[in-house]
Amino acid sequence: MAYPKLADRKRSAFAEDVRLGLTRTPQKELPSKYLYDDLGSALFDAITVLPEYGVTRAEERVLTTHANELARLVPETTLVAELGSGSGRKTRRILEALSARRRITYCPIEISPAALAHCEQALGDLARVDVAGYQYEYLDGLKRVVEERRRDGERLLVMFLGSTIGNFRRLAAAHFLRDIRHLMRPGDALILGADLLKPEPVLVGAYDDAAGVTAAFNLNLLGRLNRELGANFDLRQFAHEARFDPVAGAIEMHLRSKRDQAVRIEAAGCTINFAEGETIWTEASHKYTLEDVAYMGDVAGFSWTAQWTDAEWPFADTLFAAR
Ligand code: TRP
């Protein structure tokens, strides 16, 4: 038998993840990385400009205000890898500040081909920045970047912005940072974005906006299952839900079945029954205190270098050095 093409292997991994997630008890779930197909990435870009979702603008203010200071703190950086670059808007000021000192190579690592192309295009005009995109998941991409790009003695800056770290459970977040740390060398730097705890109504609004963009973003996951795995979800029979879990300190996103229904997922070879009111858990977004962030970095093998916050929307970008 011929070895299956990459696209087929990716599709069967997707189908298997979906089958495992939707047959889980008591809580059905779908991995959040599948939210970001081309439509999902475009909808997420729309989320970042929603009045209720202050996260992205807060980080833009933080990075714009402190880009030069950040560049001064990592003066020898010539290789920059960004995990989940999105459209690359927030990154521009940092690359400008770093490249004012030295020519740099910027490697965005992004699973959405459309978002990656957009980012490469948006940042490709910077005079002293060479852009080399990696369409991979975070750790695979970072591994390749250090293997393929890193010259001896070169200083690396890893950027993990937007509070994507919050999409991991707390322990998994610390492990993930440790995995990143293992791909780095002592003296390399990490800049980590983290959304901070704020009053529950503000948080719920940020993940359930009045115009319904976040609902569309979440529901698109079911649309993607229809398009790519031959599923027959009726999107109108599911509703987006955002709840705050005070114990986890996290917003949880779900898709709630509006009635008893059965859904066929052809490529996964399964039919899934939903009871009325039952949910699929699609994402959690953990919120932090400043101490949480420092601790998380510390247990992962980093020393705290500097931290900047936004006054309008509590958010922190923290610069760490690999020990
Ligand atoms: N990383 C983003 C966050 O947690 C992702 C996100 C924003 C998201 N809104 C969402 C994920 C709604 C699922 C549903 O802030």
Side-chain angles (χ1 to χ4, degrees), residues 250-312:
I251 287 280
E252 279 198 0
M253 256 77 63
H254 293 260
L255 291 163
R256 173 179 293 281
S257 176
K258 292 185 186 171
R259 56 171 163 95
D260 291 348
Q261 53 186 320
V263 177
R264 176 76 192 159
I265 302 158
E266 207 49 58
C270 59
T271 300
I272 307 291
N273 293 309
F274 292 90
E276 181 182 342
E278 186 179 3
T279 70
I280 308 170
W281 175 55
T282 56
E283 177 78 295
S285 191
H286 290 78
K287 304 299 164 185
Y288 302 95
T289 64
L290 293 175
E291 296 72 31
D292 290 340
V293 180
Y295 179 75
M296 200 163 43
D298 184 50
V299 296
F302 293 95
S303 318
W304 188 100
T305 307
Q307 191 168 57
W308 303 282
T309 56
D310 186 65
E312 230 175 281

Side-chain angles (χ1 to χ4, degrees), residues 35-36 44 47 53 162-164 167 207 214 217 253 283 285:
L35 289 162
Y36 300 90
F44 183 70
I47 288 177
Y53 190 80
S163 206
T164 305
N167 300 141
Y207 291 89
T214 305
F217 172 68
M253 256 77 63
E283 177 78 295
S285 191

Side-chain angles (χ1 to χ4, degrees), residues 157-172:
L157 168 67
V158 175
M159 306 205 299
F160 193 32
L161 305 179
S163 206
T164 305
I165 189 71
N167 300 141
F168 293 93
R169 290 197 180 89
R170 283 179 198 262
L171 187 60

Side-chain angles (χ1 to χ4, degrees), residues 14-46:
F14 180 22
E16 186 56 11
D17 285 348
V18 166
R19 195 186 62 76
L20 285 174
L22 292 183
T23 52
R24 258 189 114 114
T25 52
Q27 175 66 66
K28 294 181 166 67
E29 61 181 60
L30 287 170
S32 58
K33 65 180 177 188
Y34 295 120
L35 289 162
Y36 300 90
D37 66 348
D38 288 352
L39 178 54
S41 292
L43 287 167
F44 183 70
D45 275 348

Side-chain angles (χ1 to χ4, degrees), residues 35-148:
L35 289 162
Y36 300 90
D37 66 348
D38 288 352
L39 178 54
S41 292
L43 287 167
F44 183 70
D45 275 348
I47 288 177
T48 65
V49 291
L50 285 172
E52 294 97 331
Y53 190 80
V55 178
T56 312
R57 287 181 300 275
E59 186 165 48
E60 265 168 27
R61 287 190 293 269
V62 170
L63 295 181
T64 302
T65 310
H66 302 286
N68 290 330
E69 189 185 345
L70 186 144
R72 270 200 304 278
L73 289 167
V74 291
E76 284 158 26
T77 301
T78 47
L79 182 60
V80 177
E82 180 168 15
L83 310 178
S85 59
S87 64
R89 244 208 352 246
K90 287 177 290 200
T91 311
R92 191 175 184 86
R93 283 291 301 121
I94 299 188
L95 297 183
E96 280 171 353
L98 289 170
S99 64
R101 302 175 164 261
R102 294 159 185 267
R103 184 167 194 96
I104 60 171
T105 299
Y106 168 62
C107 300
I109 299 164
E110 174 58 62
I111 45 177
S112 158
L116 186 61
H118 185 170
C119 165
E120 288 178 302
Q121 211 233 335
L123 298 171
D125 65 324
L126 292 167
R128 281 149 53 92
V129 180
D130 300 308
V131 181
Y134 284 74
Q135 198 207 323
Y136 286 97
E137 294 189 14
Y138 299 141
L139 290 171
D140 292 343
L142 185 58
K143 186 154 182 283
R144 281 188 179 254
V145 168
V146 297
E147 281 170 8
E148 292 173 12

